[in-house]
Amino acid sequence: MKKFTILFALIVLLIGCNTSTQNSGKDVTSTIDATSQEKINDFAIIIHGGAGTILKKNMSDEKEVEYKAKLEEAIKVGHTILKNGGTSQEAVMKTIQVMEESPLFNAGKGAVFTNFGTNELDASFMDGNTLNAGAVAGVTDVKSPIELAIKVMTDSDHVMLSGNGASIFAKEKGLEIVDPSYFYTERRFKSLERIKEREKTELDHDDKTAAFYDADIKNAKFGTVGCVALDKNGNIAAGTSTGGMTNKRWGRIGDAPIIGSGTYANNATCGVSSTGWGEYFIRSQVAYDISAQMEYQQKTLKQATQDVIQNKLTKLGGTGGVVALDKNGYMSFEFNTAGMYRASMNDKGDLVIKIYKE
């Protein structure tokens, strides 16, 4: 019996040594269990107002102040809701609506124009608790696309509605309908005219042309607003709203209304809202990929966002960024462009507002 006990102990010891040897070659950071991190915020909120060639040298002091003021106004609306015990769903919707109603951002009132001179709006929302979601695409007369996306989630059996059907649904549900002229802004219309003029004279799209120095043309593919929130009940919600790509044709739809590309939320991992060149975000399923890396590879939020944006998306040729927030209140801004309008607030009221890459 004594010999058997000693033999058994030796076997256990050998197995343990072998396992240790196998694990010793692994990157320590890759084995961090994202789900084991301690909670650092009982509630938190993070937003973006689009990414692109946003350079200090091209931004007037007055315009910078204007952008920062609107980002602060928007995020404080959502933060107050969360602080008072409100839901992440309400916080995301109300925060995005502030940006939808501002001509500064490519969403709602400030939406860019299509090739036909119209505004076609997209939005999506996801609830991390139920994994339910709603989205709309190609909307032309609904004042708040993000509100409509949430209504699709809560009041229909569907996930995405588009075009005229989405408008009919909005009217049936009592949402505010506006004349399409509500979305007109001189700045966005002039951008469309300049892009059309460039198409006539520079068919080869050579970046050495004067258009390279025109921020609105350079950012024709960019511009979206988004928000991710974690409430006191531990529920994560994410939402995204956009006017899409300047000069878009044929009913083009980008990543913003596509669950998993522009928006994703899961209480087990994180919430994500994307902004950038939509075609690449769709092909990469950027928002879901971040969550999946946390779930299946046990990466932290920062590790996952860095890998997806700086490695996978960049190698594919895509440009843009994300804001993300995990179940423990960790937040991440990640982008591979010159800048991204962004802000965050935690449960202590610490406010961060940034525009340029630092």
Side-chain angles (χ1 to χ4, degrees), residues 145-177:
I146 189 63
E147 183 178 13
L148 179 54
I150 292 173
K151 190 64 72 171
V152 171
M153 180 188 77
T154 60
D155 287 33
S156 82
D157 296 325
H158 311 299
V159 170
M160 182 184 288
L161 300 180
S162 66
N164 187 54
S167 293
I168 293 172
F169 176 79
K171 293 170 186 175
E172 291 179 356
K173 298 302 175 182
L175 272 63
E176 185 172 358
I177 306 298

Side-chain angles (χ1 to χ4, degrees), residues 18 62 67 79 89 93 198-199 202 221 238 243 269 303 348:
N18 185 53
E62 293 77 14
Y67 271 106
H79 186 268
Q89 175 177 311
M93 184 181 80
R198 184 197 176 195
E199 285 184 340
E202 300 291 343
K221 304 177 183 68
T269 53
Q303 290 168 345
K348 302 160 195 68

Side-chain angles (χ1 to χ4, degrees), residues 24-46:
S24 66
K26 291 184 178 180
D27 178 1
V28 174
T29 59
S30 69
T31 60
I32 294 174
D33 183 358
T35 62
S36 69
Q37 291 185 322
E38 293 183 1
K39 195 161 193 173
I40 61 167
N41 288 304
D42 288 330
F43 65 93
I45 184 169
I46 188 167

Side-chain angles (χ1 to χ4, degrees), residues 198-317:
R198 184 197 176 195
E199 285 184 340
K200 292 178 183 177
T201 58
E202 300 291 343
L203 297 179
D204 62 353
H205 297 280
D206 187 351
D207 273 344
K208 294 180 181 179
T209 68
F212 180 84
Y213 303 101
D214 188 322
D216 283 327
I217 292 179
K218 190 71 175 173
N219 291 330
K221 304 177 183 68
F222 300 94
T224 294
V225 304
C227 175
V228 185
L230 169 70
D231 63 32
K232 290 181 178 180
N233 293 319
N235 293 323
I236 300 172
T240 309
S241 182
T242 189
M245 179 189 293
T246 304
N247 199 35
K248 62 185 179 182
R249 312 181 193 205
W250 311 300
R252 178 264 185 186
I253 297 170
D255 65 303
I258 298 178
I259 301 304
S261 298
T263 302
Y264 193 76
N266 187 333
N267 279 3
T269 53
C270 66
V272 182
S273 177
S274 309
T275 175
W277 192 338
E279 280 70 16
Y280 288 90
F281 280 71
I282 294 171
R283 290 161 59 191
S284 301
Q285 282 292 282
V286 163
Y288 174 71
D289 194 9
I290 292 168
S291 173
Q293 288 197 20
M294 293 179 68
E295 182 175 1
Y296 301 119
Q297 296 183 335
Q298 288 77 52
K299 288 187 178 181
T300 64
L301 182 71
K302 187 62 179 175
Q303 290 168 345
T305 54
Q306 275 189 330
D307 180 55
V308 171
I309 299 300
Q310 306 300 347
N311 182 24
K312 299 176 75 173
L313 181 68
T314 301
K315 285 182 177 178
L316 194 64

